[in-house]
Amino acid sequence: MEGVDHLAHERSKAQFDVDHMKVVWAGSRHTLEVSDRIARLVASDPVFKKDDRTRLSRKDLFKDTLRKAAHVWKRITELKLTEEEASKLRFYVDQPAYMDLHWGMFIPFIKGSGTEEQQKKWLPLAYKMQIIGCYAQTELGHGSNVQGLETTANFDPKTDEFVIHSPTLTSSKWWPGGLGKVSTHAVVFARLITDGQDHGVNGFIVQLRSLDDHLPLPGVTVGDIGMKFGSGAYNSMDNGVLRFDHVRIPRDHMLMRVSQVTREGKVVQSNVPRQLLYGTMVFVRQTIVADASSALSRAVCIATRYSAVRRQFGSNDGGVETQVIDYKTQQSRLFPLLASAYAFRFVGEWLKWLYTDVTQKLQANDFSTLPEAHACTAGLKSLTTSATADAIEECRKLCGGHGYLSSSGLPELFAVYIPACTYEGDNIVLLLQVARFLMKTVSQLPSGKKPIGTTSYMGRAEHLLQSCCNVQKAEDWLKPSVILEAFEARAMRMSVACAKDLSKFTNPEEGFAELSPNLVDAAVAHCQLIVVSKFIEKLQQDIPGKGVKEQLQILCNVYALFLVHKHLGDFLSTGSITAKQGSLANDQLRSLYSQVRPNAIALVDAFNYTDHYLSSILGRYDGNVYPKLYEEAWKDPLNDTVVPEGYHEYIQPLLKQQLRNSRL
């Protein structure tokens, strides 16, 4: 029935103030108000309609994306939106486009790596969209190994120019978003060569296309790399291929904040430390963690609402069947994902603070926290994106067969999200970087060097290597100090075990390669500890609203105890907890699911997503799923005709043949 809230009964069960929880999720009342206003603006604008996106051909989808991107810019300028509002507008339009890379990579990199003069020259053009930029780093033959890039930038002192060249097929730039069909300019990463000497990889601003007719400039070969995974999804983005044939650019197009090339071709280091460039990387990875909580919460919202609508089994006398959300098997798969969405949200908030802190310290020439911040953001990018990709697929399965329909919103969400596991650093490579940092930290403990930030727990190594988990009964697992110590002991012991095993190898690099699976596990343990500790820290703040803090406490415990359950082997093999304590953690977890159950719908309502943004019939706010699924089916182009095209050529002859044969 239209206009009826089929989930009203579920909403009435909430034991907390949902409006206050919305503020907690948004981060502040101001952010909530901005998000709410912009989300409704997008939902009410017919240009931003997206319900037929997965049915469009690639060309039609791309043209639709260009139309939406142009309309986004029109609305930003007409309404004089702030940077925050403009960012929210692009978020709620929810269609990957060249603008994502222009604003998210091209502009931040020029801000981070350009001199003041370069910023004055390029940023006003970029801010007004008079040029459109992308970030051309990845090549056909090299992704994670940036030092292995093959594109060259050879300085010619006769003309005061760099010659940008792609010497091999594998040096072709491959994957940059916005490159394929739209970008007029790119930050191109190439090997800086002067007088035959290779100075490593540097960024250069290169114009790719004419600003008059958009044709590629001489020596530039550029195009799209083709269809990607899924329908709709990331196929709205023109990921590109780019080759250079001795393309000349002025010397001052090299981004020279850190390294400069003089008129004579001499490479000089400026007084700006190279470490400043890490600020951009911390910013980008912090954004990716925030995006993980958005994508995960979206999938969880769909699966939770549909689990409350769907009824199956449980009635032997013709009465109502059981809601799927009431089955413990459904709760044990769904509620940890709901808890993870909140956990990732709060660690993302903390990363925003970390980025500000690191930036201030870098500007004051204080680099002491940089290695830890770099390892922390790399690890959290890896942990949250991998967990989110797996969780979206789990949410699809939690919705049964209907989750496989495009109209559930989950297949496209999965397809559009999973590249996050490989872009901006392959997740396993990133965890190995974290592991290197952990091994270095452990190796410095005997010298008395105090670990800082997220590794400060390692300063209590002696205690953590000997401590016993203080759990006698299931309720003991509800104490934050108990949870924290168990996670610290596990992380500490796994890192120390890896360090001991590494010390047995005469060649440390050989040892690192051999032990890499164990090192990855140690890095995961460390990163999970960070997420748990930041959730606990959040709960130590003053959180207003009836029952809000209590619900967050329950979710924090679900997140932590689910990890204990999932990684029980680690906790047991390191002696961090006993088998009995592991069993008690499981008992407590089951009890927590029962406490989440009455609040589940209200907890996903707190994400405050419009039906337009969710783009899912199964996740509709009003729960009116079945009539809408039926209605949607008839919109498919296959149903434009009752008798399918091709019947006369292929089906009729087959049937006639069978009829003839049946008479014999």
Side-chain angles (χ1 to χ4, degrees), residues 569-604:
D570 287 349
F571 284 93
L572 292 179
S573 64
T574 55
S576 304
I577 66 172
T578 64
K580 172 68 177 164
Q581 289 166 337
S583 176
L584 290 171
N586 240 359
D587 295 343
Q588 187 55 58
L589 189 55
R590 263 198 321 279
S591 163
L592 288 166
Y593 292 153
S594 301
Q595 294 174 55
V596 172
R597 169 62 189 96
N599 298 286
I601 293 299
L603 284 166
V604 299

Side-chain angles (χ1 to χ4, degrees), residues 408-614:
S408 77
L410 291 165
E412 191 185 17
L413 179 58
F414 180 66
V416 83
Y417 187 74
I418 50 174
C421 297
T422 39
Y423 66 53
E424 285 310 301
D426 173 88
N427 281 358
I428 298 300
V429 173
L430 291 178
L431 287 173
L432 288 169
Q433 288 177 14
V434 176
R436 277 191 190 278
F437 173 69
L438 293 175
M439 293 306 98
K440 189 176 178 184
T441 305
V442 170
S443 72
Q444 291 172 340
L445 289 176
S447 70
K449 187 172 181 188
K450 222 171 177 210
I452 55 163
T454 55
T455 53
S456 56
Y457 69 96
M458 289 187 164
R460 294 182 289 110
E462 204 174 324
H463 167 72
L464 291 172
L465 291 171
Q466 294 167 359
S467 65
C468 297
C469 178
N470 189 21
V471 168
Q472 310 296 326
K473 54 188 187 300
E475 295 75 35
D476 290 340
W477 275 115
L478 300 177
K479 296 172 185 168
S481 58
V482 168
I483 288 173
L484 212 48
E485 178 134 326
F487 274 83
E488 286 175 345
R490 168 204 178 208
M492 185 78 239
R493 293 173 191 197
M494 288 175 78
S495 285
V496 167
C498 284
K500 276 184 183 163
D501 290 343
L502 271 175
S503 67
K504 295 170 190 168
F505 287 82
T506 47
N507 181 333
E509 284 309 308
E510 253 177 51
F512 202 87
E514 184 63 31
L515 297 170
S516 54
N518 304 37
L519 288 158
V520 163
D521 290 344
V524 167
H526 171 70
C527 294
Q528 287 174 342
L529 164 61
I530 296 173
V531 180
V532 169
S533 66
K534 295 306 161 192
F535 206 149
I536 289 170
E537 277 178 26
K538 177 75 180 177
L539 291 166
Q540 288 163 356
Q541 296 172 13
D542 180 34
I543 300 172
K546 172 184 160 281
V548 171
K549 194 168 195 168
E550 289 76 3
Q551 286 309 310
L552 291 176
Q553 183 71 66
I554 291 166
L555 290 176
C556 179
N557 291 334
V558 167
Y559 179 72
L561 295 186
F562 175 73
L563 289 180
V564 171
H565 167 71
K566 189 178 175 187
H567 298 277
L568 194 55
D570 287 349
F571 284 93
L572 292 179
S573 64
T574 55
S576 304
I577 66 172
T578 64
K580 172 68 177 164
Q581 289 166 337
S583 176
L584 290 171
N586 240 359
D587 295 343
Q588 187 55 58
L589 189 55
R590 263 198 321 279
S591 163
L592 288 166
Y593 292 153
S594 301
Q595 294 174 55
V596 172
R597 169 62 189 96
N599 298 286
I601 293 299
L603 284 166
V604 299
D605 284 351
F607 303 149
N608 206 35
Y609 293 143
T610 60
D611 280 349
H612 174 274
Y613 177 69
L614 273 186

Side-chain angles (χ1 to χ4, degrees), residues 152-174:
T152 55
N154 219 317
F155 182 64
D156 181 352
K158 293 193 196 85
T159 59
D160 197 25
E161 291 172 319
F162 285 105
V163 181
I164 311 290
H165 186 59
S166 308
T168 60
L169 180 70
T170 49
S171 69
S172 308
K173 295 298 177 186
W174 191 274

